[in-house]
Amino acid sequence: MPDGLRMSNVSHEFGSNRVLHDVSFDVAPGEIVCLLGPSGCGKTTALRLAAGLEKLQSGHISINGQVVAHAGDYVEPEKRGVGMVFQDYALFPHLTVAKNIGFGLKHFSEAERQEAVTNALAQVGMSGYSDAYPHELSGGQQQRIALARALAPRPQIMLLDEPFSGLDVARRADLRDTTLHVLKNAGIATIMVTHDPQEAMYMGDRIIVMNAGEVMQDGTPESLYFRPENRFVASFFGEVNQFSSTVHNGVIDTPVGQIKAEDYSDGTEVDVLVRPEGLHIADAVNGHDIMANVDAVRALGEVNLMHLTLQKGGHIHARVPRRFSTLNQNSVAITLDPEMTFVFPMS
């Protein structure tokens, strides 16, 4: 890949703690890639290594085909053409918005600096705020200014570290949408660190799921959600109903129905994970239905979460459309959606 960012076989340790284990991925110009995983999985360390805020110990990093870091060699952050947005904004409180944005543009002429500041403010929808101070702005507005400051030098790579986590729900949704369109229009290769699966699916062309310093899976939001390669990825993208069973005659019996398992030999012990939306709920039509009692129903925006107790025993959750005819019934029938059902051998 001649352009964009590439990290190859990167490993990193803090003392005796190895936080990255042979991590490799690339980001093409105009592509937004989200590093997703729990706290301590190594995603922020990967971002800091790409930025040059940590010196690389093993592997190499290149930007637009030029190696900027490998063991024994190091290009300073300011020479990498990288823009970075932090979750705490990191604005200078004693400087106006215009001076905050222009602070890193010392190599620009005065006319170029003013033009870059004006253009960056327009990109993030903050024209007219150049003379304001950070304390006069809301959290969402401050984060827009932080994004404008990162965009102003026209970076080759953009790095975002949990940029929306300090905002309330409404401001987060608004700024997330703005940021997505600004970055896409700018055509910048972007890495964004997040621990929020929904945010990663909203923002990312690709998602790299990490755990314990390793890449668990790298793919599109659709492929990770519908074709997870392991139980960690399947369960990280939301709640799952989990059952344990054994393959018999190419079939797995679960309390919510049978699943074909032609890829597994008889006697294999497996875990079956079913997303709540993978349980289809309907009226009972005959005595062969798998039945469950309705314990409670909770509205979650466009869907309802149903708390169910199987009549054969066991508590499960199902997600159903907001307008659903069986919500007021005491019991319902259940069928499985194979696309939302995942089988993994027990480890």
Side-chain angles (χ1 to χ4, degrees), residues 52-221:
L53 301 177
E54 298 282 348
K55 289 193 175 181
L56 189 65
Q57 298 170 352
S58 177
H60 69 268
I61 300 171
S62 62
I63 294 176
N64 285 353
Q66 176 190 357
V67 175
V68 296
H70 63 82
D73 196 10
Y74 174 76
V75 175
E76 297 295 327
E78 61 271 19
K79 297 178 181 178
R80 294 191 182 192
V82 170
M84 194 158 185
V85 179
F86 302 92
Q87 76 180 73
D88 62 356
Y89 320 140
L91 299 176
F92 297 111
H94 62 290
L95 297 182
T96 65
V97 162
K99 290 182 178 178
N100 262 284
I101 296 172
F103 185 81
L105 305 178
K106 294 182 172 59
H107 60 292
F108 284 38
S109 69
E110 182 59 30
E112 289 173 334
R113 187 180 301 114
Q114 289 182 5
E115 182 181 10
V117 170
T118 299
N119 290 340
L121 284 171
Q123 280 182 287
V124 300
M126 291 291 287
S127 297
Y129 286 84
S130 59
D131 294 328
Y133 285 86
H135 71 270
E136 298 173 322
L137 305 176
S138 68
Q141 289 174 325
Q142 289 183 49
Q143 193 62 301
R144 285 174 184 263
I145 299 307
L147 178 60
R149 182 179 58 185
L151 288 166
R154 297 186 288 274
Q156 302 172 77
I157 308 294
M158 184 68 75
L159 306 175
L160 310 174
D161 188 11
E162 300 272 10
F164 316 123
S165 62
L167 302 173
D168 60 49
V169 174
R171 288 190 177 92
R172 186 184 309 140
D174 180 56
L175 185 57
R176 192 167 57 186
D177 190 65
T178 297
T179 302
L180 173 63
H181 293 290
V182 166
L183 293 173
K184 279 299 186 182
N185 289 335
I188 301 173
T190 300
I191 301 176
M192 189 180 94
V193 162
T194 180
H195 64 275
D196 183 340
Q198 287 191 338
E199 185 167 272
M201 295 181 79
Y202 185 96
M203 292 291 297
D205 299 302
R206 280 176 31 237
I207 300 172
I208 297 171
V209 181
M210 297 182 65
N211 188 39
E214 298 183 2
V215 173
M216 296 287 101
Q217 190 170 344
D218 178 348
T220 64

